[in-house]
Amino acid sequence: GGKTATAKITLNKKAPMGGWLINLSSNKPFATLLPSVTVPAGASSATFKVDTVPVPTDDVATITATDTNSSKAGLLAVQRATLSSLDLSLTTATGGTVVAGKVRLTGTLSGANLTVALSSSSAHVSVPSTLVLSAGQSSRTFVIKTKTVAIAEIVTITGQAGGITQTAVMAIMPR
């Protein structure tokens, strides 16, 4: 949710002079669109936008196109925001420094909180064990603390939420 989808209406013949008016509707409040679209004269198709808002759970809207002779429907799946990336402010850091991490979602969170489990592949790099995103958020930053190392180390930071895993890699360098 929170994105705009483009839909297309295709006629089985070209629209007459003056165009062909098609009435549009959605059966769900999270998917909104203009009440109609006109297929231009001589054309056989037209596109229109369907705006969505964030949803608390995955859901499906039925978009219906109607003219004086017939009615056709299509489905639009709208998904709850999920984990889309895990980013680091630095990909190389000297041991003992602090680095910022950021988790991003596919859209704005609606409804229940989303808890991201965080982990580090190294004892020299610590991250919070969990990060909670609340309704209205689409990203959140967190602090990554590094310890001094004797030799360079490659570290993977992992974030997991809702069955989705994202990773980011950084190098920790000696002083």
Side-chain angles (χ1 to χ4, degrees):
K3 308 248 187 234
T4 299
T6 300
K8 184 177 183 179
I9 291 182
T10 303
L11 305 175
N12 59 8
K13 60 184 173 181
K14 293 186 186 273
M17 202 157 187
W20 196 317
L21 179 69
I22 307 291
N23 293 310
L24 303 170
S25 65
S26 167
N27 71 330
K28 298 285 178 98
F30 59 77
T32 59
L33 61 163
L34 292 174
S36 65
V37 65
T38 300
V39 178
S44 59
S45 66
T47 59
F48 60 95
K49 305 283 187 202
V50 181
D51 294 320
T52 66
V53 296
V55 292
T57 58
D58 293 354
D59 206 341
V60 177
T62 301
I63 306 301
T64 305
T66 306
D67 68 3
T68 55
N69 300 317
S70 65
S71 181
K72 298 287 182 188
L75 301 177
L76 175 65
V78 178
Q79 298 175 324
R80 179 179 197 251
T82 57
L83 188 61
S84 68
S85 69
L86 191 156
D87 303 309
L88 306 175
S89 61
L90 297 171
T91 55
T92 302
T94 303
T97 60
V98 174
V99 176
K102 187 172 198 173
V103 293
R104 296 178 196 274
L105 304 180
T106 55
T108 303
L109 192 61
S110 175
N113 292 344
L114 180 69
T115 300
V116 179
L118 296 170
S119 63
S120 164
S121 65
S122 170
H124 295 110
V125 177
S126 64
V127 296
S129 58
T130 60
L131 189 65
V132 178
L133 287 91
S134 304
Q137 290 186 297
S138 59
S139 65
R140 181 148 181 219
T141 57
F142 61 96
V143 173
I144 301 168
K145 296 178 182 174
T146 67
K147 295 180 183 174
T148 304
V149 294
I151 59 171
E153 187 176 344
I154 302 299
V155 180
T156 301
I157 307 298
T158 303
Q160 295 179 312
I164 295 172
T165 300
Q166 296 291 337
T167 61
V169 177
M170 65 186 301
I172 304 301
M173 307 302 287
R175 291 190 178 263

